[in-house]
Amino acid sequence: MGDEDWEAEIIKPHMSSYVPVFEKDRYSSGANGDTFNRTPASSSEMDDGPSRRDHFMRSGFASGRSMGNRDAGESNKRENTSTVGGFGVGKSFGSRGFSNNKFEEGDSSGFWRESNNDCEDNQTRSRGFSKRGGYQDGNDSEASGSSRRGGRSSFRGCHGGFGLGSPNSEYEQDEGTQRTGGLFGSRRPALSGTGGYKGLNEEVVTGSRKNSWKSDAEGGESGDTQGPKVTYIPPPPPEDEDSIFAHYQTGINFDKYDTILVEVSGHDAPPAILTFEEANLCQTLNNNIAKAGYTKLTPVQKYSIPIILAGRDLMACAQTGSGKTAAFLLPILAHLMRVGITASRFKELQEPECIIVAPTRELINQIYLEARKFSFGTCVRAVVIYGGTQLGHSIRQIVQGCNILCATPGRLMDIIGKEKIGLKQVKYLVLDEADRMLDMGFGPEMKKLISCPGMPSKEQRQTLMFSATFPEEIQRLAGEFLKSNYLFVAVGQVGGACRDVQQTILQVGQYSKREKLVEILQNIGDERTMVFVETKKKADFIATFLCQEKISTTSIHGDREQREREQALGDFRCGKCPVLVATSVAARGLDIENVQHVINFDLPSTIDEYVHRIGRTGRCGNTGRAISFFDPESDSHLAQPLVKVLSDAQQDVPAWLEEIAFSTYVPGFSGNARGNVFASVDTRKNYQGKSTLNTAGFSSSQAPSPVDDESWD
Ligand SMILES: Nc1ncnc2c1ncn2[C@@H]1O[C@H](COP(=O)(O)OP(=O)(O)OP(=O)(O)O)[C@@H](O)[C@H]1O
C-alpha cells in the first residue's frame, strides 16, 4: 500500500468498525496471553506537540519504540492530521505527546501510515519519532533525556506481543546509513544480518553497507563494533526420540505425486529410484527414515537422491511441501556414512563436510532439525547457527563437533570471518530456496562464500540447489556456483503452485480487507491460518487488530527479536495462537503441521512469492486453502501471472481476474495465460539427454515443449 493509500485509509470516515484501543485500558489477546497495557492519552499530553498527519493516532501508540520528535523539522513540514483510535505496534507505545487535531473530528480509522520498506522505515522514523515513546515537539533531532523516555502507556507484548524492546541510542542516531527495526523499538542491531532475511520488505540494508557479508558482525551479532551484544540463546530442542521423530501424516493426495511429470535435463543423468531400498542407504539411515514415517519416496526424492549419490551437481525445482529437504539430506548423510567421517568433536578446527544455507533463521533451524533426525544414532553431527542469537553460543555449538553446518548467510560469514571453521573439507554446498539465496539480497554473500579462502572450487565440491521456483535469470546466475554438467530436475512446472492448495482470489479493496479478514477467520474457527501482509508494521497492526477482535493471533517478521519470533512460531505450531500474521519472512520453507489456510491479506509483489506463501498449506499430500485479497488498485500487475498459476494448477480463474489480466500490460511477462500443461524450464541451451518422465519412471506422452531457447552460455 502506498503512502497515499494509507493517508486515504487514515482519513476515511467509515473505518471505525472496531473499538478504538484507547477505550480499553487493558486488553488481553486471549490464548497467547498477550497483554496490552494501554493508557489513554490525556489532553495535556496531546497538547505537547504539533499534530502530525503521518504518525500519530489519538490512542497514543504507534509502532516503534517511541513517538518522539527526532528530525521533527522534517516532520513539521508535513500536514497535520492525526487519527483517533489508531494504534501502531512495536516495542513500546508512547501515548503522550499528541496534539489536538483531526482526531477531535472523529476519525477513528485506526491506521497510521506505513512505509513500504525498510528504507521508508528509516525515512518515516526520521520524520518524527524518537527513542522511547512520547512524541515531543520541537526540532531537536537528537532529543535526549526525558524526551526520549515518553511512552507512558508502553505497549508491552509478551510472547506473541509486540514489546519489550530496549532502546539503543546509537542505532537511532545513525539512521542515515543503518536500518534498525524501523519504528519498532527493536533492540536488535542496525544492520542487515540481524534478521537473517532479505526479502522484499525485510532486512534490507541501506547505504554503504548494503549486502555486506560482515553484516552480522558489524551489526552487533558479535558485538564487535556497534550496538548491544545479542545475548539470546535459543532453547535446545528436545532430545527425546519421540520429539526428534515427531512428524505429521502424509495426506490423501500423497500418492498423486506419482502422476506429476518430471523432467531431467543435462547429460548422463542416473536413473531415478523408485524405493528407499534402491538407494542402498545404511541401516541406521533406513531406521531413521522409517521412524520419520517415510515409506515412499516423493518425486523430487526419486530423482535427486541418485543424482546426488552419483556425485553430480543439481538444481532441483519441485512444488512446495514435496520433500526437497530429505531429497538432499539423505544422500549427503549416506555419503558421509559411507566414507566414514571422523567423530568431529575431536578435531581442533572444525571443518564441516557439508554447509547448508537458507534465507531465514526459522527455516535453517527446521532444516537442522531434519538433519538431526536423519543422522540420529550416527557419528554425523549437525549444527545450526543463525543471526539474532548469541555468537558465542554459535561458536560453542560448532566446537563440539560439526559435520553438517546449517547456517543463515550472515552468521555463516561471521563465523568464517572469525576463523571458527575451516572450509577445506566442504564436499557439499547446499542452497535451499536457492533462487532467494542467489537474488540481489543474498547473491553477493553467496559469491563471497564460494570465494572464501579454503572453500573448494566448484569442481572440487558438490553444489546442490533446491527451490519451488527458479526464475530464469537466477538460473543463469547459478552457473557460477555449479559445474557445467549439472543436472536440472523439474518436478511439474517450474514455479507452479501446489495443486493440493485450493486457491481463491477475492477482489477486495483496501478499505474492506480487515472486515473481510475477520469474517473469514470467524468462519474458519480454530483452524490454523497464516495471514500474509506486505510490511512488518502492518503485520503487527493486523495482529493487534485481530487480537482486539478476540482472535488469538501472533505475528512474525524481521523486526521482532529472535526470541519473539521463535515464541510466535511456537505458539502457532502448538495451536495456542491459531492465527499467525506474517511478512514474507515466513513465506518460504516453513513446514508447520496442520496449516489449513493461508490468507494473502496483501498479495506479494511477485508471483513466485505467492507460490511460496500459499505453499505453507497443502503439504505432503494434505489439502489446504489459500484465499487472496486482490486489490485492483495495487495488484493488477499480478493479474496475468496469477491467471497462469491458477490455470496451471487447475483452479478456477475468476472472470474479473481474467479481464484485468487481459487488459493489463505487464512488461516482461511472457506467460501464456492458460499456460502449458508442462513447461519445465532449464535455461541452458542445446542440452542433450533430456528425458521426460512421470515419477514412476515412464516416458510421458505429454512431452513438453521445453522453454530452452534462452541461451545459457
Ligand atoms: N517421502 C516422504 N514421506 C513422508 N513424508 C515426507 C516425505 N518426504 C518429506 N516428507 C515430509 O513432508 C513435509 C514437507 O517436506 P519439506 O519441508 O522437505 O518440503 P519442501 O519441498 O522443502 O517444501 P518448501 O518448498 O515449502 O520448502 C515434511 O514434513 C517432511 O517431513
Side-chain angles (χ1 to χ4, degrees):
M1 191 182 285
D3 283 356
E4 296 77 3
D5 300 323
W6 281 106
E7 290 188 19
E9 179 93 357
I10 287 165
I11 57 173
K12 199 161 168 62
H14 70 273
M15 290 305 296
S16 54
S17 55
Y18 59 92
V19 185
V21 285
F22 64 87
E23 291 181 11
K24 299 177 179 180
D25 282 343
R26 194 175 176 85
Y27 176 76
S28 174
S29 68
N32 71 357
D34 296 348
T35 301
F36 302 72
N37 295 318
R38 291 162 189 175
T39 306
S42 72
S43 57
S44 63
E45 286 163 350
M46 290 176 175
D47 284 338
D48 277 355
S51 59
R52 297 191 181 181
R53 175 177 192 138
D54 291 345
H55 307 303
F56 309 119
M57 285 66 60
R58 179 170 190 164
S59 65
F61 37 94
S63 173
R65 223 170 267 166
S66 66
M67 304 176 70
N69 73 328
R70 306 195 65 221
D71 298 343
E74 193 184 338
S75 298
N76 284 335
K77 291 177 199 154
R78 303 188 65 84
E79 220 179 317
N80 294 340
T81 310
S82 296
T83 59
V84 172
F87 50 94
V89 283
K91 305 289 174 184
S92 73
F93 297 73
S95 68
R96 57 181 308 218
F98 291 66
S99 68
N100 50 10
N101 50 47
K102 285 278 172 76
F103 38 75
E104 302 294 332
E105 295 166 27
D107 174 24
S108 58
S109 69
F111 267 84
W112 73 314
R113 283 173 59 117
E114 174 166 8
S115 63
N116 228 10
N117 55 41
D118 285 350
C119 301
E120 284 194 43
D121 279 358
N122 288 341
Q123 246 182 357
T124 309
R125 194 180 55 190
S126 74
R127 286 189 204 126
F129 290 81
S130 86
K131 308 299 180 243
R132 293 172 70 188
Y135 163 70
Q136 167 197 332
D137 191 11
N139 54 12
D140 173 17
S141 66
E142 294 303 320
S144 59
S146 61
S147 69
R148 288 184 179 177
R149 279 184 237 113
R152 282 171 54 181
S153 59
S154 290
F155 177 102
R156 280 185 227 102
C158 302
H159 52 77
F162 320 114
L164 293 178
S166 67
N168 186 286
S169 57
E170 283 87 358
Y171 300 146
E172 305 233 353
Q173 287 168 12
D174 193 16
E175 61 196 24
T177 54
Q178 298 178 352
R179 68 164 298 285
T180 68
L183 289 166
F184 297 75
S186 170
R187 59 195 284 270
R188 297 187 308 101
L191 291 176
S192 69
T194 61
Y197 178 79
K198 290 173 190 162
L200 292 171
N201 296 298
E202 302 278 345
E203 306 299 330
V204 177
V205 192
T206 58
S208 59
R209 293 196 174 115
K210 189 167 184 174
N211 296 328
S212 164
W213 67 269
K214 289 181 181 170
S215 54
D216 267 358
E218 290 173 358
E221 299 274 72
S222 59
D224 277 357
T225 52
Q226 302 165 27
K229 283 196 175 172
V230 175
T231 55
Y232 176 57
I233 296 176
E239 294 285 339
D240 64 288
E241 219 174 301
D242 284 350
S243 305
I244 290 173
F245 288 98
H247 62 273
Y248 61 84
Q249 296 303 310
T250 57
I252 47 166
N253 291 333
F254 189 78
D255 287 341
K256 286 194 192 158
Y257 280 154
D258 284 341
T259 62
I260 300 176
L261 296 169
V262 180
E263 181 178 314
V264 183
S265 48
H267 294 280
D268 304 322
I273 54 170
L274 300 180
T275 62
F276 281 112
E277 291 72 48
E278 283 180 62
N280 209 11
L281 308 171
C282 71
Q283 195 50 47
T284 317
L285 215 42
N286 279 328
N287 290 344
N288 290 342
I289 289 168
K291 280 193 256 181
Y294 292 20
T295 53
K296 200 174 161 187
L297 292 157
T298 66
V300 69
Q301 293 163 358
K302 288 177 181 175
Y303 285 82
S304 303
I305 290 174
I307 288 172
I308 298 170
L309 286 174
R312 301 291 295 274
D313 280 6
L314 173 66
M315 183 185 285
C317 190
Q319 71 185 57
T320 51
S322 65
K324 294 186 283 295
T325 317
F328 60 78
L329 282 178
L330 293 176
I332 291 172
L333 281 166
H335 173 84
L336 295 183
M337 297 298 291
R338 213 167 282 166
V339 297
I341 50 145
T342 339
S344 58
R345 83 183 74 123
F346 302 116
K347 293 181 191 164
E348 212 156 88
L349 176 69
Q350 291 302 318
E351 296 182 305
E353 285 86 358
C354 171
I355 292 180
I356 302 170
V357 286
T360 67
R361 299 164 180 182
E362 291 74 17
L363 176 55
I364 202 65
N365 203 30
Q366 182 182 296
I367 294 169
Y368 157 72
L369 292 174
E370 292 290 289
R372 186 182 74 138
K373 173 169 82 180
F374 290 124
S375 62
F376 184 77
T378 73
C379 60
V380 177
R381 187 165 191 273
V383 167
V384 66
I385 57 170
Y386 52 89
T389 61
Q390 190 195 71
L391 186 73
H393 173 72
S394 295
I395 294 170
R396 283 194 296 278
Q397 297 304 304
I398 289 172
V399 296
Q400 286 172 46
C402 177
N403 303 109
I404 298 179
L405 181 60
C406 307
T408 48
R411 181 52 58 97
L412 176 63
M413 298 313 291
D414 208 2
I415 292 282
I416 292 173
K418 289 182 179 304
E419 299 179 358
K420 297 298 177 193
I421 56 164
L423 299 173
K424 285 202 190 88
Q425 296 300 325
V426 173
K427 166 76 181 140
Y428 296 100
L429 175 61
V430 184
L431 275 61
D432 196 25
E433 307 298 340
D435 53 333
R436 173 60 89 217
M437 299 310 296
L438 294 173
D439 74 10
M440 288 195 314
F442 287 117
E445 278 171 332
M446 291 297 97
K447 281 188 185 176
K448 279 173 185 145
L449 173 63
I450 57 169
S451 50
C452 275
M455 174 63 99
S457 71
K458 63 182 178 184
E459 305 306 329
Q460 250 77 54
R461 62 168 198 263
Q462 226 176 310
T463 307
L464 312 171
M465 301 191 177
F466 284 80
S467 185
T469 53
F470 254 119
E472 290 179 19
E473 63 276 15
I474 301 286
Q475 287 187 42
R476 284 189 210 101
L477 291 174
E480 210 176 306
F481 293 74
L482 296 158
K483 295 184 195 94
S484 57
N485 70 342
Y486 76 85
L487 293 167
F488 183 92
V489 170
V491 181
Q493 185 147 15
V494 172
C498 172
R499 289 189 183 180
D500 298 326
V501 181
Q502 185 194 327
Q503 301 174 56
T504 306
I505 314 288
L506 301 177
Q507 196 172 162
V508 187
Q510 58 166 313
Y511 303 123
S512 313
K513 283 184 178 181
R514 278 174 294 166
E515 207 179 315
K516 192 75 196 166
L517 178 65
V518 170
E519 182 192 316
I520 292 169
L521 289 174
Q522 278 167 351
N523 284 336
I524 282 173
D526 275 347
E527 292 179 353
R528 230 160 283 177
T529 305
M530 290 178 81
V531 178
F532 283 99
V533 298
E534 196 57 349
T535 66
K536 292 172 278 197
K537 282 186 281 296
K538 201 170 193 177
D540 277 340
F541 178 81
I542 295 299
T544 309
F545 165 64
L546 292 176
C547 285
Q548 282 191 296
E549 295 291 322
K550 305 277 188 269
I551 296 169
S552 290
T553 303
T554 187
S555 75
I556 188 165
H557 58 73
D559 271 350
R560 300 205 72 190
E561 293 193 30
Q562 191 52 30
R563 187 193 309 272
E564 297 169 324
R565 282 164 62 157
E566 289 177 17
Q567 181 75 56
L569 208 52
D571 287 347
F572 182 60
R573 271 188 202 279
C574 74
K576 192 174 176 187
C577 293
V579 177
L580 177 69
V581 181
T583 58
S584 282
V585 75
R588 285 174 177 255
L590 293 186
D591 183 53
I592 300 166
E593 181 174 7
N594 235 350
V595 175
Q596 278 137 310
H597 305 266
V598 167
I599 298 174
N600 282 308
F601 184 90
D602 297 319
L603 276 163
S605 51
T606 69
I607 195 68
D608 284 351
E609 209 62 18
Y610 171 83
V611 167
H612 286 280
R613 282 185 184 184
I614 68 167
R616 295 318 98 214
T617 184
R619 298 177 70 77
C620 205
N622 292 287
T623 55
R625 292 197 62 187
I627 300 175
S628 302
F629 296 168
F630 185 101
D631 179 359
E633 291 281 308
S634 52
D635 301 324
S636 51
H637 67 286
L638 270 185
Q640 278 183 24
L642 260 180
V643 168
K644 176 162 168 49
V645 161
L646 289 168
S647 36
D648 286 348
Q650 294 169 352
Q651 304 288 307
D652 290 339
V653 181
W656 60 263
L657 184 64
E658 272 186 327
E659 224 166 85
I660 295 174
F662 289 121
S663 62
T664 312
Y665 167 70
V666 181
F669 180 72
S670 54
N672 166 346
R674 276 284 146 207
N676 299 320
V677 173
F678 177 63
S680 302
V681 181
D682 178 349
T683 54
R684 291 172 299 180
K685 196 178 179 184
N686 298 329
Y687 60 76
Q688 291 171 4
K690 178 180 68 198
S691 57
T692 304
L693 308 158
N694 62 23
T695 56
F698 304 113
S699 288
S700 165
S701 56
Q702 289 177 284
S705 50
V707 185
D708 62 346
D709 51 350
E710 294 285 347
S711 68
W712 167 261
D713 46 19

